[in-house]
Amino acid sequence: MALFNFEELEVYQVARGFKKRIYKLTNLFPEEERYRLRLQMRKAALSMTNCIAEGHGRFTFKDRIHFMRESRGSLTELVDDMNDTEDLEYANPDHLMDLKQDAVHVHKLMNGYVAYLEREAAKQTSSKKLRAR
């Protein structure tokens, strides 16, 4: 049961599931990565969903769009970190490819949500212009 509206967003739900997979992946890393790549990936994954939630709590469409773009940046940072994970041979390349496919799905949902917010912002702007006449 969702107590806050952002929890009902498909983009949030899918990103949250992706974050869980990133956390499981980082559990496979060697101990020496505990405070480097592992921590970096977990912070980026957390930032991804935090930004969706924070943006949804903002009042303006401009702010919501900004935070969704920040979230998308964290997602692409994670893809780069997955490349490092592959280069360092910390995980199976097939597993990483599956995670990257999930990242593509999350990215598409983020882009779709940003497009929706931009359309809603444009409607609001044109509505204000009509009222001003």
Side-chain angles (χ1 to χ4, degrees):
M1 183 172 101
L3 297 177
F4 291 88
N5 289 344
F6 75 86
E7 294 175 293
E8 297 172 358
L9 295 172
E10 180 183 8
V11 66
Y12 175 79
Q13 293 170 2
V14 174
R16 185 176 173 200
F18 180 71
K19 176 177 67 179
K20 288 177 188 178
R21 291 193 68 198
I22 292 295
Y23 271 62
K24 286 180 182 179
L25 170 69
T26 62
N27 284 334
L28 302 173
F29 292 0
E31 185 62 28
E32 65 264 16
E33 287 296 349
R34 175 179 225 156
Y35 298 107
R36 293 188 299 240
L37 186 59
R38 178 183 180 186
L39 182 61
Q40 180 64 28
M41 290 181 76
R42 287 180 173 209
K43 284 182 176 182
L46 186 61
S47 173
M48 178 184 61
T49 55
N50 283 172
C51 285
I52 294 169
E54 185 171 356
H56 195 73
R58 296 298 175 119
F59 185 69
T60 67
F61 286 110
K62 182 179 177 180
D63 283 343
R64 289 179 182 185
I65 292 165
H66 166 76
F67 279 97
M68 281 307 302
R69 289 180 174 149
E70 291 290 322
S71 178
R72 190 172 56 196
S74 294
L75 174 66
T76 55
E77 181 179 331
L78 281 167
V79 172
D80 179 58
D81 291 341
M82 283 188 273
N83 290 337
D84 290 340
T85 301
E86 182 176 9
D87 293 345
L88 296 167
E89 299 179 353
Y90 290 159
N92 180 312
D94 291 335
H95 180 100
L96 292 171
M97 183 53 71
D98 186 54
L99 273 172
K100 284 184 180 181
Q101 291 299 326
D102 279 359
V104 168
H105 180 62
V106 174
H107 194 262
K108 287 179 181 179
L109 289 172
M110 288 177 170
N111 286 341
Y113 189 55
V114 167
Y116 164 78
L117 291 172
E118 287 172 339
R119 284 191 307 273
E120 291 300 306
K123 283 183 198 176
Q124 187 180 56
T125 301
S126 65
S127 175
K128 285 181 182 178
K129 286 180 183 176
L130 287 174
R131 284 185 288 201
R133 289 183 186 180

